[in-house]
Amino acid sequence: MVVRLSLGTMLLAALAWVFVQDADVKHVEDGAEAIRVEPEVSWSPDPPGEGRLFCIEVIPSALSPLLGVHGSFAGEELHFVRSAHGTFETWAAVPVGGADAESGALRIVYAAGGEERMTFEVPVAPGSYEHEELRVAPRFGSPLGAEDRARLERDRASAPEAARRAHRTPRIATDSVILPRNSRVTSGFGDGRIFNGQISSRHMGLDLRGAPGDTVLAAARGIVEVVAPFLLAGNVVYLNHGGGVVSGYFHLSRPLVEPEDTVDAGQPIGLVGATGRVTGPHLHWVVRYGSISVDPLSLLDLQRD
């Protein structure tokens, strides 16, 4: 027996088939979202050292591609960028004097829709530091007076503002990082300091030998954020490298740049001096991720990884 269907009946059947197919596709998509695979989180170096920059990488599963990654580590915002091979990478920093592990949190945004929150813990290798006694001008070797304390507070407000702007700036330090002076390290990062036998502190930067008038170079591409005379740091220049990273150049005899200038790695930004609290002419170089001071040499190590 031959069954003949009218044109209207065939159109209704076709529409019903399309409806069923759409429902099946949605069912598969809903199922895929329900069983999405979390990405892998890794870091380099492993473990990172106390007081150092390092890199965090989020590696998506092929079954669950990602639209974006956001997060924080050790209390500072992370700034992920998508790499050429599809992973998401960010710089991060380990504070000095913290625990033997630091925690991070991520917000994962999936390409198929939906978000997920993850936490992770990074083991930390302890640092090794020395102690040294220094003789400075009596004004800086004893408790500061009221006028100097007020000036110091004004100085200290400038660095956090530069760090906040670095958190709002995309990473621009994409070229090779260099030493701002190709000279001997005279005092290492993290070493203890005792000034005139009274005031103790930790040396949160790197001292590089230099004679008055020697050239100081930008360590990496950046935007000039601060050019100012500080009480303890003397004449300073701060550069914003984006991605949360700033670098500072202290005790200059003379800055060679102005705020809002954009400089490249290796460009002269100042001259070595002996301004501020010093024992003699040298460059004091600092690097910070947000509010976390790190060994400046770890910025060079990041570029080599």
Side-chain angles (χ1 to χ4, degrees):
M1 179 178 65
V2 178
V3 178
R4 290 183 171 84
L5 300 175
S6 68
L7 179 61
T9 302
M10 288 189 290
L11 287 174
L12 287 173
L15 289 173
W17 182 86
V18 170
F19 177 80
V20 170
Q21 293 303 307
D22 285 346
D24 287 345
V25 169
K26 187 174 189 309
H27 175 73
V28 171
E29 289 176 349
D30 289 346
E33 183 177 343
I35 61 170
R36 61 193 174 204
V37 181
E38 284 189 351
E40 176 188 347
V41 182
S42 65
W43 44 86
S44 176
D46 184 15
E50 176 186 7
R52 297 186 69 83
L53 287 169
F54 70 107
C55 183
I56 297 174
E57 184 176 29
V58 175
I59 307 167
S61 164
L63 298 174
S64 302
L66 304 182
L67 187 62
V69 181
H70 311 272
S72 63
F73 181 81
E76 293 288 339
E77 182 182 358
L78 299 175
H79 306 280
F80 285 93
V81 294
R82 189 192 296 266
S83 70
H85 47 282
T87 65
F88 291 81
E89 300 174 350
T90 182
W91 293 333
V94 178
V96 170
D100 55 4
E102 290 286 346
S103 298
L106 299 176
R107 179 169 62 89
I108 306 296
V109 183
Y110 289 95
E115 298 183 358
E116 190 166 4
R117 297 186 181 275
M118 299 173 54
T119 59
F120 62 100
E121 190 169 85
V122 178
V124 174
S128 177
Y129 308 113
E130 299 179 355
H131 288 79
E132 58 183 332
E133 292 196 22
L134 301 172
R135 305 298 299 180
V136 296
R139 175 188 182 189
F140 299 124
S142 57
L144 298 176
E147 183 177 344
D148 282 344
R149 287 199 305 273
R151 181 181 172 188
L152 185 59
E153 289 304 311
R154 291 194 298 270
D155 294 347
R156 286 175 172 170
S158 297
E161 179 55 33
R164 283 190 287 271
R165 287 194 287 268
H167 270 314
R168 298 193 296 265
T169 305
R171 188 190 303 182
I172 56 179
T174 56
D175 51 356
S176 296
V177 179
I178 66 167
L179 281 169
R181 282 196 48 73
N182 190 17
S183 58
R184 186 170 68 86
V185 174
T186 56
S187 187
F189 173 83
D191 292 345
R193 318 295 292 274
I194 300 174
F195 293 100
N196 295 3
Q198 295 187 50
I199 296 179
S200 63
S201 67
R202 190 182 286 276
H203 187 235
M204 302 305 281
L206 198 70
D207 285 352
L208 297 168
R209 181 184 293 279
D214 285 348
T215 303
V216 175
L217 308 176
R221 180 173 173 80
I223 301 168
V224 179
E225 291 288 355
V226 178
V227 179
F230 282 10
L231 176 66
L232 301 183
N235 295 324
V236 306
V237 169
Y238 273 100
L239 300 182
N240 169 5
H241 303 293
V245 174
V246 297
S247 62
Y249 309 79
F250 295 1
H251 309 307
L252 303 175
S253 61
R254 182 161 66 94
L256 301 177
V257 290
E258 297 291 337
E260 300 185 8
D261 286 351
T262 297
V263 297
D264 291 317
Q267 181 174 331
I269 58 172
L271 304 177
V272 171
T275 56
R277 183 172 69 180
V278 293
T279 58
H282 70 283
L283 171 66
H284 178 78
W285 178 34
V286 304
V287 172
R288 299 190 183 108
Y289 185 91
S291 62
I292 301 175
S293 295
V294 297
D295 187 340
L297 295 179
S298 65
L299 181 60
L300 278 74
D301 292 339
L302 270 188
Q303 300 300 307
R304 288 194 284 261
D305 289 343

